[in-house]
Amino acid sequence: MHHLFGLVLGQKDLSRAGDLFSLDDAEIEGSLSEALEQIKIISSSPDYQTNDNDQAVVEICITRITTAIRETASIEKHGKALVALWESCLEHNLKPSGKDEDTPHAKIASDIMSCILQNYNQPPIMALAVPVAVKFLQRGNKELCRNMSSYLSLAAITKADLLADHTDAIVKSVLQGLHLLRFTARIGEKDAAAELEKVKIDSIWSECKLSVN
């Protein structure tokens, strides 16, 4: 890992975090996956949600990392580590507080989401990302779901079969009122249309049984 990333993340040194932006993207590109793994460790600590210093360090480092990934076009190299950090957010609370403020892990998820899903036209990245993306649809954060649906609709145009395997989760989100209708019609490959209809019928039948009881 680049020595400055090691210092900032190892010591959680907020005073030096801004110095990361003085480094050339190419100089730190080789350290990005390792830095993402270290961020995952920090953000998974029991006191992360109440530690403002650690949250600020993580936020700055993620911004620097995602910028470097975009500028060096190295998403395929670092995609696995990026998705692993993104998925780790699912282990924590993502629902906004009473003040409609995102939780610390919802902020991480949001910051990483665009870096990953803007590569909707790259099947290898989407193969990693889509199974994780659909899990966020059921986690109660409407803003995340709304943004996720926009990216997934683009992915559906480019590689519909990646979404066909997740029809059940998508349709359940549609039935819950989330804004995903724009791309459900595009996952027609693998006989997804029949699967959609089956899930809709099953859901309606379940609701009817609940009403009768």
Side-chain angles (χ1 to χ4, degrees), residues 93-104 106-107 141:
N93 178 35
L94 299 177
K95 293 183 179 180
S97 66
K99 299 178 181 179
D100 290 331
E101 294 180 357
D102 276 334
T103 65
K107 290 178 181 178
N141 188 308

Side-chain angles (χ1 to χ4, degrees), residues 96 140-147 178-179:
N141 188 308
K142 291 183 179 180
E143 188 62 27
L144 272 178
C145 289
R146 188 160 33 245
N147 293 333
L178 299 177
H179 303 287

Side-chain angles (χ1 to χ4, degrees), residues 9-132:
L9 291 172
Q11 299 183 13
K12 303 170 189 174
D13 189 346
L14 183 58
S15 67
R16 296 294 305 277
D19 295 342
L20 291 168
F21 290 91
S22 67
L23 303 174
D24 289 337
D25 296 316
E27 184 179 352
I28 61 173
E29 186 274 320
S31 302
L32 301 182
S33 286
E34 192 175 354
L36 287 164
E37 291 169 3
Q38 185 61 36
I39 289 173
K40 182 180 174 183
I41 293 172
I42 294 172
S43 63
S44 297
S45 64
D47 67 336
Y48 179 75
Q49 295 195 52
T50 57
N51 193 316
D52 293 340
N53 178 84
D54 289 7
Q55 291 174 30
V57 168
V58 164
E59 183 177 349
I60 292 171
C61 287
I62 287 177
T63 299
R64 185 66 190 96
I65 289 169
T66 54
T67 299
I69 287 175
R70 281 191 291 264
E71 293 300 318
T72 59
S74 57
I75 184 65
E76 288 198 23
K77 180 177 179 180
H78 303 292
K80 187 174 181 179
L82 197 61
V83 171
L85 174 58
W86 194 37
E87 186 171 23
S88 72
C89 295
L90 290 164
E91 300 172 8
H92 305 276
N93 178 35
L94 299 177
K95 293 183 179 180
S97 66
K99 299 178 181 179
D100 290 331
E101 294 180 357
D102 276 334
T103 65
H105 292 94
K107 290 178 181 178
I108 294 176
S110 180
D111 290 342
I112 293 176
M113 176 176 59
S114 61
C115 183
I116 296 174
L117 296 182
Q118 69 180 0
N119 297 282
Y120 61 86
N121 59 343
Q122 297 189 38
I125 299 302
M126 289 299 97
L128 289 173
V130 168
V132 177

Side-chain angles (χ1 to χ4, degrees), residues 167-195:
T167 304
D168 183 75
I170 293 170
V171 173
K172 285 180 180 177
S173 298
V174 171
L175 294 173
Q176 290 173 4
L178 299 177
H179 303 287
L180 299 165
L181 286 168
R182 73 184 76 177
F183 69 87
T184 52
R186 292 177 180 144
I187 56 177
E189 297 181 18
K190 294 187 178 181
D191 203 27
E195 188 176 352

